[in-house]
């Protein structure tokens, strides 16, 4: 398995940038086969008022625009939190073959915790999933964010 730590560091930087907007700190990258970042995203639901503005969706949109195609068949998605069902659907629709994530989402995860849409053999496309990469760092960002929100 490749060392995904460096790419997860970049995704964590994207997540930390959510502090400005007050969004849940989740960051994502789409990588080309050579490791070049072709899409970046961070949660922007609060910033934009768009319920679909999840980090993964925004990174996928940017990568598709970069490549000029909706088919991201030779890419890897790196995200700090396990994708939800909506994001898993976007990953499957874009034909992304590999997903790497940090923290598990025990409430809404769709890559192995609550659901496993990405590896559901009944669907026409399945994804190779690498979970728990820099898990503690990803989880800490989320824990601190929600602890701060409870105080206010």
């Amino acid at each position: 398995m490749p060392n995904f730590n460096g790419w997860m560091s970049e995704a964590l930087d994207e997540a930390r940038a959510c502090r400005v907007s007050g969004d849940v700190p989740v960051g994502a990258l789409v990588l080309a086969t050579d490791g070049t970042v072709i899409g970046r995203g961070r949660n922007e639901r609060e910033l934009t008022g768009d319920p679909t503005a999840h980090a993964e969706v925004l990174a996928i949109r940017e990568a598709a625009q970069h490549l000029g195609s909706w088919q991201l068949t030779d890419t890897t998605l790196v995200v700090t939190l396990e994708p939800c069902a909506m994001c898993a659907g976007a990953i499957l629709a874009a034909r992304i073959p590999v997903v790497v994530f940090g923290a598990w989402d025990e409430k809404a995860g769709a890559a192995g915790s609550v659901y496993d849409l990405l590896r559901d053999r009944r669907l026409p496309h399945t994804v190779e999933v690498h979970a728990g990469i820099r898990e503690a760092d990803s989880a800490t960002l989320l824990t601190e964010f929600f602890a701060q929100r409870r105080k206010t």
Side-chain angles (χ1 to χ4, degrees), residues 103-147:
W104 292 93
D105 185 347
E106 298 297 333
K107 293 182 180 178
S113 62
V114 179
Y115 305 103
D116 199 353
L117 295 176
L118 296 182
R119 293 177 285 196
D120 189 329
R121 300 265 181 227
R122 296 170 294 183
L123 298 174
H125 177 70
T126 58
V127 177
E128 178 182 325
V129 175
H130 301 274
I133 308 300
R134 304 273 311 262
E135 181 175 6
D137 296 328
S138 297
T140 297
L141 274 179
L142 294 161
T143 302
E144 290 173 354
F145 172 81
F146 286 111

Side-chain angles (χ1 to χ4, degrees), residues 49-122:
D50 178 355
T52 68
H54 288 208
E56 300 95 321
V57 171
L58 298 177
I60 289 168
R61 287 177 184 162
E62 187 173 290
Q65 184 174 20
H66 175 86
L67 294 176
S69 174
W70 62 268
Q71 295 183 49
L72 305 180
T73 55
D74 293 323
T75 64
T76 297
L77 175 74
V78 179
V79 61
T80 59
L81 180 64
E82 177 184 6
C84 69
M86 177 186 72
C87 292
I91 291 162
L92 292 166
R95 305 296 192 266
I96 296 173
V98 180
V99 170
V100 177
F101 71 85
W104 292 93
D105 185 347
E106 298 297 333
K107 293 182 180 178
S113 62
V114 179
Y115 305 103
D116 199 353
L117 295 176
L118 296 182
R119 293 177 285 196
D120 189 329
R121 300 265 181 227
R122 296 170 294 183

Side-chain angles (χ1 to χ4, degrees), residues 13-81:
D13 289 343
E14 290 293 328
R16 287 183 194 99
C18 290
R19 289 181 182 144
V20 176
S21 64
D23 278 283
V24 176
V26 178
L29 308 172
V30 177
L31 309 170
T33 54
D34 66 358
T36 303
V37 177
I38 59 171
R40 292 181 184 275
R42 65 181 72 117
N43 277 356
E44 294 184 358
R45 293 183 308 169
E46 298 296 330
L47 181 67
T48 63
D50 178 355
T52 68
H54 288 208
E56 300 95 321
V57 171
L58 298 177
I60 289 168
R61 287 177 184 162
E62 187 173 290
Q65 184 174 20
H66 175 86
L67 294 176
S69 174
W70 62 268
Q71 295 183 49
L72 305 180
T73 55
D74 293 323
T75 64
T76 297
L77 175 74
V78 179
V79 61
T80 59
L81 180 64

